[in-house]
Structures are given as C-alpha cells and as structure tokens.
Amino acid sequence: MYIKAVLYDVGRDQGGREEFYENLITRMADYGYNMLILGLEYRFHYSSHPEIAMPDSLTPDAVKRLDKIAKEHNIQLVPCVNCAGHCDGIGMTDKYNSFCAKNDGNDRGIEQLRINVPEAEKLMLDLYADIYECFSSKYFHIGGDEIRQLDLIYPELEPKERMQQAVEYLNRIIANVKAHGKTPMMWGDMLLKYPAVMELLEKDVIICDWAYFSSPATKPVSNKESLSFFKKEGYRTVFADSVCTFMANPLVCDNATMNIVFGTNEYNEVFEQQGEGVITTIWEIQYGGCFGVVWPWLYLQSCIHKGEKRDCRSFDFLKEYTSMEWGLPDDDNSLERWYQLVDIGFSKMVLYEAFLDTNLKPALEDNGQRPYKTLRMYFAELFTNRNILPVINTERVKWMNPTILNRMEQLYKEALVLAEGMAERAITRKEESRHLLQYNHVLLAVTKLVGLEAELESTYHQAAQLQFTDTDGFQQCIERLQEIYLEMAGCMDICVEWYEVLHKEENYAADVCIMPSLAVADLRMRAENIKKIAESRVPLVQYQRYIRRDSDLPMMRHIRRTTDR
C-alpha cells in the first residue's frame, strides 16, 4: 500500500470528541487519504496506567469505534506513541516523574524517558500493550524523534555512544511491536544526526523522514540528501511534510505550500517507483490555533497524490478550495489575500521594522528571524497564564512597539473585511469561514491588549506622581485604570468565546480552555482592587512589581528573602 497519511497531533491539547474524529475520517476518505495517524502521547486513557491521561482524552472504546469507522472508509487508523523523547506527559505525573531524565519539572529533561531504567521501559511496553488492543492496523509508529536529552542519562559517554545506547533501546521496542504482528514506523532525524548508528538499527522498520522547511523564503531547501541516505541504507522510507501549524497562528502558508509541493516532488524523484508514501503532519494545534485552517493544504496534498502538477510558489489552490468546499466563485481569491495580510504581510512588516530599528533584532534572533514564531510565543504565553499583564508587558518591551502595533491593527482590519465577505458568501461548510472570521477578531483583540497595557503603565505612573499631591487628578487616573482593566477583560472575553468554539466545534480538550476565563476574572478583580488600594492610601509600588502580584493580595512593598529561612 502506498501510504497517503495525515498525522493529527492529539497529544498537544486535543480532546476526545468522537464526532470530530468521525468527520476527519470521512473528509480524508473523500480526498483519497488511506491512513490517519493519531499522535496520542498522554491524551489516551491507558487501561494499565490510568493516572497518565487527562480526563478529556480518547478512551479505548472510542478508539475501537473510530477504528471500525476508519476501516469502513478504507483508512487505517494508526497509533503514534513516542517511546523515548517527548515523554513529558509521563514525566509531569508525580508517580512516574522519576522515570524522566530530569525530575524537577522545570527543564526540558522532563520529556526524556530514562531509557536505561528497566522500570521505565516496562511502563512504555505496558502502554503499548493497551494500544495494541484498540488499533487493528498493521502499522505502529514508535516516534523516536528528538531524543535530545541523552546527556542527562549518560553523562559519562560521548554523543555517538549515547545514541548507540538509544538505538539498542529502540531495537527492543521495535522487536516488541513486531512480536504483536505490527509493522513499526519511526522518525529518522536522530539517525541523520548520528549516521554511524544506522548499522545497529533493526532493518525491518519504516523510516519517516521529516523536513518541515522552517524558512523556505530565506534559504535553500532540499531533502534529497536525507532521502538518498535512507534509500542507500536500504530502509523503506516515507516522506513527512507539514502544514506548519506548529510555528505560527494560524499557520505559515508559504512554508506549508512549499513543503508539500516541493518536498513531495523531491521524494518521488529520489524513490521513483520504490516510495512507500507521504505523511502530512499537523502538529500543535494550540494556543488559539484551529484545525479548520489546514484543510486547503490537505486538499493540495491530495491533488499531488493524484498526480497533479503544482507550483510550490502558487496559492491558486486556495481559490479551488473555497470554490469547491465553500461555494465561492471560481475567481474569488479572498482567502489568498487574507493569508497575504495575516501571515506574509505581517512577517514582511516586522522584518522591515527590525531593519529600521535594531532594538527589535534580539526578539527575532531568539526565534530564528521568524516573526510568525515570535507572535506564536506571545499567543502561547497569553493563553496559558492567569495573570497576563507580565506576558503582555514583556512582549511589548521586546518587539511590539507602537509602529508595529499600528501596522498589525491595519493588517488585521483589512483582513477582517475579507473574512466578513467570505463568511457572508459561503454557501457550504459555513463553519470554516465563520471560524476564520472569529479568529480574525481574536487577532485584533490580542493586538489591542498590548496597546491597552501600554496605557495602563503610563496611567499608573501618572497616578503614582499625583497620589498625595493632586486628589482629583489621582482619582481620574484610578478611574481610567479601572476602565483599562475592563477593556482588557473585554478583549479576553473575545478569546474566551473563541476557546468555547474550539472546544465544542473543534477538538480542544476541556482542561486547556480554562485559562482565558481565569485571565478575565483576574483582570476584573484588578479593576476592583485598584480602587480599594487608592481608598486605603497605600503608596503605589513600582509598576513591574505591581503587575506581577496576585490580584487578590493587598499591596506589598517589602522583599522577602527566602534564603534567610
């Protein structure tokens, strides 16, 4: 079977809503796909170790039902459970925390399974045994990518020797998968990093060579070398591209397009008739991102699977998609124009401003000169904290200056007009255009938050200057601070409504939808407390300390030195 797969990253914040998976399977079948890989991690209720899964996760019974539905649509439902790296779902539990390389919970070492500990290996095989019972497919993906904390496990060994130990472990996992009648699949990145270990790896495993083209617009891209390497070594090899949802909100449209078109063409050129297939990965639908935006790119990949020739620099497929799926006119290029503003236009604007203002360069350098990732980091912090004031302040100081904020607002308002038009004209799959419109409002809301926080700081400083010298002026400042807090809460209310949609109409897990609501409550409490602080005549503390204190605590000025205790 030539694999035409989609990998859906369940493990990053996705839930167990069966209707979503059923619709996904049905649409994939319509597009000609024949495999759905579920990256489960800790979003599956393991029978042998129920303490690992979050409550709103896939259950064994649900997977068995979905497996049956998939077979009815000629789609193989395949599990992917990482056996070495990306095991933070295990390490974050107190019960199994000791099975990870670093167990203080504050380091990436928590994602690295202690592959040299027999009890940790047994735990992994227990989880695999639970999985075997639920999936009927002959394929089983063991992960194996980004095993990047081996130095914490084998500090006395050289890097190559550490990877040799990892391969011995992977071989035992592969043997277990084969013993259960399954064909093992694994990622190939660590083998490319340490090619000498290939001679140690079990031959009867399918290598999935992933290359996601992080910056195709600014540097040459090619996957020929890695593909040719695996071919030369005699391994069955699948190419894995990506819709690039893991670096941006909503996604990086030019990266995704080039990755799919150029990458698949290269794979076919290298392997000719010996290719095993292609996996289109969809990672990290998180932090307000939505799955619905990936469908045009899944359509593009399906066209290539059918043998159609496509241009890796062209977005004509977006017109085709909105015509076919939304019922828009054949020549309506609104969706392309939307991405030209929200994604490409945003990135070009920030890079240009960084060229003019060198103060912006450190923030971009931290994210590999990728503005879309810089914005993604803002979303990630904003939607995972109850107190969002330090988050906004930090991003504003680093890179969101008034010029950039004004340009972001202009871009998003122009995009809003396009989104409104598409939502009005859509005849079918109206939820997709409606979600795009609602997401556009979120972009405007989170941009407005930054401007409001800037005003909050300036008004707070003014209030501090007037506190004991101008009663009326001080009172006016306090009233404005209250108004700003309530305006910020209104912005976050837009995000709360969006998260409710993501939970009810897409597949966000319930537990990840809590924080935006807590942020709204925190902002409203701060609006009340600033008034109480003013009435109590407590001197206003320095702004950075103020925004970092809990909203329900009285103003404190002293610094506690914990080392004294």
Side-chain angles (χ1 to χ4, degrees), residues 387 526 529 533 545-551 553-555:
N387 179 8
R526 289 177 187 277
N529 283 354
I533 291 169
R545 288 179 59 79
Y546 167 69
I547 63 173
R548 283 167 172 77
R549 72 180 183 89
D550 290 338
S551 59
L553 293 178
M555 189 66 78

Side-chain angles (χ1 to χ4, degrees), residues 122-379:
K122 182 182 182 303
L123 169 65
M124 187 56 62
L125 294 180
D126 286 347
L127 303 185
Y128 275 27
D130 295 338
I131 295 290
Y132 294 142
E133 295 180 1
C134 300
F135 291 81
S136 64
S137 172
K138 70 174 184 177
Y139 295 98
F140 193 107
H141 204 304
I142 67 170
D145 63 319
E146 298 180 334
I147 311 175
R148 49 196 171 195
Q149 307 291 340
L150 292 174
D151 58 315
L152 300 177
I153 302 175
Y154 305 109
E156 74 284 359
L157 300 181
E158 294 298 318
K160 177 184 174 181
E161 295 171 325
R162 295 168 187 159
M163 193 59 205
Q164 289 173 342
Q165 294 295 319
V167 169
E168 290 182 11
Y169 168 81
L170 291 172
N171 281 338
R172 295 195 296 274
I173 298 296
I174 289 170
N176 181 272
V177 172
K178 291 172 61 179
H180 286 82
K182 306 286 187 178
T183 300
M185 308 170 78
M186 67 174 286
W187 303 115
D189 55 304
M190 297 305 297
L191 304 173
L192 293 172
K193 190 172 183 179
Y194 301 99
V197 304
M198 287 294 294
E199 62 184 21
L200 303 177
L201 183 68
E202 163 69 44
K203 283 290 183 180
D204 193 12
V205 58
I206 297 176
I207 302 296
C208 303
D209 183 23
W210 62 270
Y212 300 152
F213 298 177
S214 61
S215 303
T218 58
K219 65 181 181 182
V221 292
S222 177
N223 213 40
K224 278 189 176 180
E225 185 176 348
S226 61
L227 290 169
S228 299
F229 170 74
F230 289 125
K231 181 181 180 181
K232 180 182 177 181
E233 293 292 328
Y235 282 89
R236 299 168 64 188
T237 305
V238 168
F239 174 63
D241 54 33
S242 181
V243 187
C244 299
T245 51
F246 60 95
M247 289 188 293
N249 287 50
L251 53 79
V252 193
C253 63
D254 53 352
N255 288 23
T257 305
M258 179 173 284
N259 195 191
I260 289 171
V261 179
F262 187 75
T264 305
N265 288 343
E266 273 201 336
Y267 173 70
N268 292 333
E269 182 180 338
V270 171
F271 278 88
E272 298 175 329
Q273 302 303 315
Q274 299 174 344
E276 293 285 338
V278 176
I279 300 172
T280 302
T281 63
I282 303 164
W283 298 108
E284 299 179 27
I285 302 290
Q286 295 175 288
Y287 315 129
C290 59
F291 187 92
V293 299
V294 310
W295 280 112
W297 280 267
L298 293 182
Y299 162 71
L300 173 64
Q301 181 76 78
S302 73
C303 292
I304 297 173
H305 284 323
K306 295 173 185 175
E308 297 181 18
K309 300 295 183 182
R310 296 289 171 149
D311 183 349
C312 64
R313 295 288 187 182
S314 172
F315 293 109
D316 285 346
F317 68 93
L318 294 176
K319 286 190 296 186
E320 298 172 19
Y321 178 83
T322 55
S323 174
M324 178 181 70
E325 294 289 6
W326 297 1
L328 299 188
D330 293 344
D331 60 349
D332 193 326
N333 66 345
S334 296
L335 187 57
E336 177 183 349
R337 291 162 60 199
W338 190 86
Y339 276 106
Q340 289 286 355
L341 292 166
V342 168
D343 178 25
I344 297 174
F346 165 78
S347 289
K348 287 182 176 179
M349 177 270 294
V350 174
L351 288 171
Y352 176 73
E353 293 300 328
F355 175 76
L356 298 177
D357 184 355
T358 57
N359 293 324
L360 302 176
K361 290 184 178 179
L364 287 175
E365 289 172 355
D366 288 344
N367 292 295
Q369 300 296 337
R370 293 171 285 186
Y372 47 81
K373 189 174 181 183
T374 306
L375 183 63
R376 166 79 164 192
M377 294 301 100
Y378 169 48
F379 273 70

